[in-house]
């Protein structure tokens, strides 16, 4: 699983519009969601990237993918118990991000 940043931990855990703070799409961590619901909640993510991340999460047992034999086809994604265990981690990361001071202007790491 690729976790480039706290916001990459699970679709929908993007930081606030200021780039800091707790996830603004935390509701996505509750219940099942269709692909387009996840995509709409994550502005800027390409369908290819979202598909790739969801497949990685499925391989690692973080989400389940349920396909319904309907017309049109319906697919839903939901957290597994393992994925639900990430909620505490994401909360802790959000709390930590709020405690980190903004860098001084012009200062680079």
């Amino acid at each position: 699983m690729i976790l480039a940043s706290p916001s990459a931990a699970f679709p929908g855990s993007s930081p606030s519009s200021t780039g800091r703070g707790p996830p603004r799409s935390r509701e996505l961590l509750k219940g099942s969601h269709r692909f387009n619901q996840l995509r709409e909640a994550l502005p800027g993510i390409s369908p290819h990237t979202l598909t790739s991340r969801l497949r990685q999460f499925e391989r690692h047992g973080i989400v389940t993918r349920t396909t319904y034999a309907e017309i049109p086809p319906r697919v839903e994604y939901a957290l597994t118990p393992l994925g639900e265990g990430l909620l505490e981690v994401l909360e802790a990361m959000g709390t930590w991000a709020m405690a980190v001071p903004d860098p001084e202007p012009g200062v680079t790491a």
Side-chain angles (χ1 to χ4, degrees), residues 15-51:
S16 67
S17 60
T18 63
R20 300 195 56 197
R24 63 182 142 141
S25 300
R26 216 172 275 183
E27 67 276 2
L28 293 176
L29 298 174
K30 299 174 186 164
S32 62
H33 300 281
R34 296 179 75 167
F35 181 86
N36 283 334
Q37 290 174 311
L38 295 171
R39 198 167 133 219
E40 288 170 8
L42 297 165
I45 192 168
S46 71
H48 174 78
T49 300
L50 181 56
T51 298

Side-chain angles (χ1 to χ4, degrees), residues 59-75:
R59 275 195 307 274
H60 290 279
I62 295 170
V63 300
T64 58
R65 179 181 189 269
T66 304
T67 304
Y68 297 91
E70 300 174 351
I71 297 181
R74 178 171 53 115
V75 176

Side-chain angles (χ1 to χ4, degrees), residues 1 9-10 57-58 60-64 78-80 82-84 86:
M1 170 173 45
F10 188 78
F57 295 149
E58 185 179 10
H60 290 279
I62 295 170
V63 300
T64 58
L79 287 176
T80 63
L82 177 64
E84 289 172 356
L86 288 173

